[in-house]
Amino acid sequence: MIILKTPAEIEQMKTASQIVADCHRHLAQMITPGITTMEINEFVKKHITRLGGKQFTNGYNGFQYETCASVNDVIAHGFPSRQPLQEGDVLKIDIVAEYGGWLGDSAWCYAVGQVSPAAEQLMRVTRECLYKGIEQAVVGNRLGDVTSVIQKHAESHGYGVVRDLLGHGIGRDLHEQPSFAHIGLPGKGQRLKEGMVFTIEPMINEGTYRMTIDEDGWTARTADGRLSAQYEHTIAITADGPLILTEQ
């Protein structure tokens, strides 16, 4: 069942979402060669509290950290570590915060120092995929209108769109309906209605869309060892168009 949110509830979700956005604004200044993803995790943990929110992911289904920190070929759900980041790394940081019982969720991709032209292009195209999808998130369209433009744009550059990790509804729970891969056909899928709130979070791989899971049961990697990028926003469907709750 899809839980539609009232305008007042969406405003409360925006508060949680802006805590996440503020974390990312700070990380954009912090992430340089030599920093560790554990240091990033500790900053996020403290910053969420400073802003009056609560961390959410530590303890969620056994996950033990406040962020997912995914480097290079790790697509998502990577564990923070004490290994310093290197010049040219591609880093994805995924953050969820709670405020007043409501959740906000956003992942962002960061270049560590100077990245290769190939990595820079992958990041740019993935970010374009996100915003092309958001443009289609309007009342009366269908989820396939959102996901098909993402797939078309990524594949036009020869990239693979991850199928096994999904966008999802969000509210008081992290994973609500609808749940969807970032591929599809225009005019197909769930009709978009005012009050729907969900994530759009394309995970785009330099090569194959296929992935593997490490023995830790969490870390998702590209099956061919090539780079992956991801950008994610929490959005609300409103009468005036898509509202990006986690806009930085």
Side-chain angles (χ1 to χ4, degrees), residues 118-138:
E120 189 173 359
Q121 175 177 283
L122 176 66
M123 293 173 63
R124 175 181 57 79
V125 170
T126 304
R127 191 166 55 249
E128 290 169 353
C129 284
L130 170 65
Y131 285 102
K132 285 178 178 292
I134 291 172
E135 287 175 1
Q136 296 299 315
V138 297

Side-chain angles (χ1 to χ4, degrees), residues 210-226:
R210 299 185 186 280
M211 65 178 225
T212 61
I213 302 291
D214 286 2
E215 290 184 3
D216 61 29
W218 284 97
T219 306
R221 297 181 184 272
T222 59
D224 56 9
R226 299 180 73 184

Side-chain angles (χ1 to χ4, degrees), residues 157-187:
H157 288 82
Y159 298 144
V161 183
V162 173
R163 270 78 160 158
D164 296 329
L165 300 173
L166 308 177
H168 53 88
I170 183 172
R172 292 189 179 277
D173 293 318
L174 180 58
H175 293 105
E176 298 182 354
Q177 293 299 317
S179 182
F180 56 92
H182 295 82
I183 58 170
L185 297 172

Side-chain angles (χ1 to χ4, degrees), residues 32-235:
T32 55
I35 196 170
T36 71
T37 50
M38 189 62 76
E39 289 175 302
I40 292 168
N41 186 82
E42 288 303 306
F43 167 80
V44 170
K45 176 182 179 180
K46 293 175 182 176
H47 196 61
I48 289 173
T49 302
R50 277 195 294 266
L51 296 175
K54 297 178 181 179
Q55 78 79 31
F56 182 80
T57 53
N58 191 331
Y60 181 75
N61 290 340
F63 196 78
Q64 297 179 6
Y65 305 95
E66 286 74 20
T67 64
C68 297
S70 305
V71 183
N72 294 334
D73 66 321
V74 178
I75 300 168
H77 304 155
F79 293 175
S81 80
R82 301 197 183 279
Q83 180 176 341
L85 292 169
Q86 303 294 315
E87 181 89 16
D89 283 342
V90 173
L91 172 66
K92 289 79 66 180
I93 296 290
D94 195 351
I95 303 168
V96 182
E98 179 183 345
Y99 186 91
W102 297 95
L103 301 175
D105 182 8
S106 176
W108 214 248
C109 192
Y110 298 94
V112 181
Q114 186 69 40
V115 299
S116 69
E120 189 173 359
Q121 175 177 283
L122 176 66
M123 293 173 63
R124 175 181 57 79
V125 170
T126 304
R127 191 166 55 249
E128 290 169 353
C129 284
L130 170 65
Y131 285 102
K132 285 178 178 292
I134 291 172
E135 287 175 1
Q136 296 299 315
V138 297
V139 173
N141 270 3
R142 293 184 179 272
L143 269 177
D145 297 315
V146 175
T147 60
S148 62
V149 295
I150 291 170
Q151 182 180 10
K152 181 178 180 181
H153 189 59
E155 292 181 349
S156 73
H157 288 82
Y159 298 144
V161 183
V162 173
R163 270 78 160 158
D164 296 329
L165 300 173
L166 308 177
H168 53 88
I170 183 172
R172 292 189 179 277
D173 293 318
L174 180 58
H175 293 105
E176 298 182 354
Q177 293 299 317
S179 182
F180 56 92
H182 295 82
I183 58 170
L185 297 172
K188 301 293 185 181
Q190 177 70 45
R191 181 80 68 183
L192 302 184
K193 298 180 180 180
E194 185 176 355
M196 292 176 67
V197 181
F198 54 86
T199 67
I200 300 177
E201 48 181 300
M203 288 149 275
I204 308 300
N205 295 346
E206 194 175 24
T208 179
Y209 67 84
R210 299 185 186 280
M211 65 178 225
T212 61
I213 302 291
D214 286 2
E215 290 184 3
D216 61 29
W218 284 97
T219 306
R221 297 181 184 272
T222 59
D224 56 9
R226 299 180 73 184
L227 291 177
S228 184
Q230 182 193 19
Y231 293 88
E232 172 191 17
H233 274 314
T234 296
I235 68 157

